Amino acid sequence: MTATDAGVDYGRLIWSDDLVLGVAAIDEQHREWIALVQAFQRAVAEGQPAEEMRRTLAAAVAYTESHFADEQRVMEEEGYPFLDDHIGQHRLAWDRVHAFASGEVPDDEVRNSLAEFLPQWLMLHINTADRQFARWLKGVAAPCAPAEPAGRVFGDIPL
Ligand SMILES: [Fe+2]
C-alpha cells in the first residue's frame, strides 16, 4: 500500500513554524499531537498490522484528550471569554475521534476521515480558534495592543 492509495494525500498534516502560536506550552503539545496523528496515519498508509494501527490510534486519542483538557485549563485560568465556544469545538472533534477509537467506525471510514477530517480539523483549529486565544492572551499581557475582539472564525471549522 502506498501513501497515495485511493487518491488519499496523507502528507497534508505537517508541523511547520506557521502553526506556532507563541504560547510555549500549547505549541509544544501541538507539535507532539501532530506527531502522534502522523504515526497513526503512517500505520494506515503503510498497511501495518491492525494492532499497530490500534496502538497508534490509542496513543493519538489519549493525547487528544489530555491536550484538550490542558488547553482548556490554561484558558480557564486566564479568564478567556470565549472558553465555552472553544470547549464546544473540542467536544465535537472529540466525539468523532472517540468514535474511531471505539471501533464503531468501519476501517474504510477511519481511513477516509484520517485523510480528510483529522488533518483539516487540526490545522484549521490550531490556526483559527487556538490562534484566536493566543492573540487574546497577548492582548491581555500587553494592554496597549489589545486583541481584536472581532474576527472569530468558529463557524468556519468543519465538523
Ligand atoms: Fe483548541
Side-chain angles (χ1 to χ4, degrees):
M1 184 182 289
T2 71
T4 55
D5 274 352
V8 170
D9 176 11
Y10 288 101
R12 282 185 293 167
L13 182 62
I14 299 169
W15 172 263
S16 86
D17 287 345
D18 290 341
L19 295 175
V20 170
L21 303 179
V23 181
I26 292 179
D27 284 333
E28 191 49 46
Q29 289 198 0
H30 284 163
R31 190 192 295 264
E32 177 68 14
W33 190 20
I34 286 175
L36 288 168
V37 175
Q38 285 172 328
F40 175 40
Q41 289 180 313
R42 245 188 336 269
V44 174
E46 293 173 358
Q48 292 177 13
E51 310 95 71
E52 183 63 7
M53 203 172 101
R54 297 224 170 267
R55 188 190 69 76
T56 53
L57 177 58
V61 167
Y63 199 84
T64 298
E65 186 172 30
S66 66
H67 167 64
F68 283 175
D70 286 349
E71 198 177 80
Q72 288 166 198
R73 187 162 49 243
V74 170
M75 291 175 178
E76 191 170 9
E77 285 170 1
E78 297 293 343
Y80 186 47
F82 306 125
L83 176 62
D84 287 347
D85 289 311
H86 207 101
I87 289 173
Q89 284 198 31
H90 284 175
R91 188 170 295 134
L92 285 167
W94 173 250
D95 287 348
R96 300 261 319 242
V97 169
H98 185 68
F100 297 150
S102 69
E104 296 165 4
V105 179
D107 283 353
D108 284 356
E109 199 175 322
V110 170
R111 192 169 295 126
N112 289 338
S113 294
L114 267 178
E116 294 174 14
F117 171 74
L118 265 181
Q120 194 178 15
W121 192 89
L122 277 168
M123 299 293 221
L124 272 172
H125 182 77
I126 291 172
N127 258 333
T128 56
D130 290 345
R131 190 174 297 287
Q132 188 74 18
F133 168 67
R135 286 202 189 110
W136 175 87
L137 188 62
K138 284 169 192 166
V140 168
C144 291
E148 184 60 49
R152 290 167 62 199
V153 285
F154 301 122
D156 293 341
I157 301 293
L159 290 166

